[in-house]
Amino acid sequence: MPAPKDARAYIIWPPNGAVIEGGKLWVRMGLQNYGVAPAGVRRDNTGHHHLIIDRDLPPLDEPIPNDRNHLHFGGGQTEARLELPPGQHTLQTLLGDADHVPHDPPVTSNRITITVR
């Protein structure tokens, strides 16, 4: 599904470089010039968030995998409680359409790095 060129996803929290004590954290995801709709809902200029943890973006022309490194928020959620093991982790959001396929052009956040102690 096509996406407006000015659509933008971003991670509200945590900020890039954050140090998280204990590994439990909320991730808050934002979206600009685009709407959120649950998986299965086909409406122009909408999609739902996927959080990519410690992986590069998946292929952008097929459904986003659903595993511990590719979390789906098909209910339209914009925040999630995570628990990550100690170490350095990367987080990036990728919007998917009603069928979990990235838009064209893809609507994705910057990739951030956090440290869990």
Side-chain angles (χ1 to χ4, degrees):
M1 181 174 284
K5 299 216 182 304
D6 62 350
R8 182 175 80 90
Y10 54 96
I11 296 175
I12 298 168
W13 204 93
N16 190 34
V19 176
I20 309 296
E21 299 293 335
K24 293 182 181 179
L25 67 143
W26 281 97
V27 175
R28 292 189 172 87
M29 301 165 281
L31 196 53
Q32 183 177 3
N33 299 321
Y34 220 63
V36 173
V41 173
R42 297 181 199 296
R43 186 171 296 145
D44 288 348
N45 299 320
T46 66
H48 63 279
H49 290 285
H50 298 80
L51 183 64
I52 314 302
I53 303 170
D54 296 333
R55 293 286 184 270
D56 291 332
L57 290 175
L60 299 176
D61 59 349
E62 54 190 64
I64 299 164
N66 189 0
D67 57 35
R68 64 188 183 99
N69 298 102
H70 303 84
L71 304 183
H72 287 233
F73 299 100
Q77 305 94 314
T78 58
E79 62 182 23
R81 182 90 165 137
L82 298 183
E83 186 168 356
L84 297 172
Q88 196 169 70
H89 299 280
T90 60
L91 304 174
Q92 186 172 19
T93 63
L94 174 60
L95 216 64
D97 67 11
D99 299 314
H100 307 282
V101 176
H103 298 80
D104 183 18
V107 180
T108 182
S109 71
N110 290 330
R111 188 176 194 184
I112 68 166
T113 301
I114 63 170
T115 302
V116 172
R117 286 197 217 168

